[in-house]
Amino acid sequence: MSDDRLIVALDVPNAIAGLELAAKLGDAVSFYKIGLGMLTGGGLALAQELNDEHGKRIFLDMKLFDIGATVEAAVRGLAQFDLDFLTVHGDPHVVRAAKEGAANSDMKILAVTILTSLDRANLDASLLKAGDVQELVIERAARAFDAGADGVIASPQEAALIRALPEAIGKLIVTPGVRPAGAALGDQKRVATPAQAVTDGADHIVVGRPIWQAQDPAEAARAVLAELPKL
């Protein structure tokens, strides 16, 4: 069984490309993230096939945000797909509604604090609360945990600070923005290496382009896993 601390982001155009990539990765990867960009390309069907036919764990990254009743209904519908993780925005009313929708399933609700592609200038442009980005992430994480979130999505640079929160005991921290040593940053602004992210408290790391753009994706995945601290 491969190490499920690594989640590979299937940021490819459609389900066919996703299945082709999963075939290349084979037993090297046991956990996949399917995002909003894949939704119209057969993302839910891909999730079901990877789970049912190949025994893979699935993280559906939808980052849901709406009024409570709508979020609850959407999550209840998604829960039928036997997913492992689902993301929603970390606003307390959204988290509470998502937990209601997931109540009869094993699906974990992960709250988005502040997207790892955003910096203070982006937050200013969106008229969001003033203050240090890290401090806002920690505050949003604590509020999401209080609202019932099973975990949070946060930059690896905030993982240690979130892990230190009393509210974080027994909760999951999943970190995108992870780049193996020497990899290009792409559109991520708050990044760390796989080893640093896990050492700082991340339970799972999400890696996309450095793996699926590699000439040998399975070898690239094994190289990321080799960087992680031993279990």
Side-chain angles (χ1 to χ4, degrees), residues 68-120:
T70 300
V71 170
E72 182 179 344
V75 173
R76 185 175 293 112
L78 290 169
Q80 68 184 310
F81 289 93
D82 196 25
L83 306 165
D84 289 274
F85 298 163
L86 173 69
T87 50
V88 303
H89 277 274
D91 304 66
H93 81 277
V94 175
V95 173
R96 284 191 290 268
K99 285 295 293 179
E100 285 293 324
N104 295 316
S105 74
D106 294 325
M107 183 171 68
K108 304 293 187 187
I109 298 299
L110 304 181
V112 175
T113 55
I114 293 174
L115 298 173
T116 55
S117 60
L118 302 183
D119 56 18
R120 186 62 254 178

Side-chain angles (χ1 to χ4, degrees), residues 155-157 176-179 185 188-193:
S155 154
Q157 295 182 13
V178 174
R179 291 289 183 269
L185 297 184
Q188 301 292 344
K189 295 178 181 175
R190 306 199 313 278
V191 302
T193 63

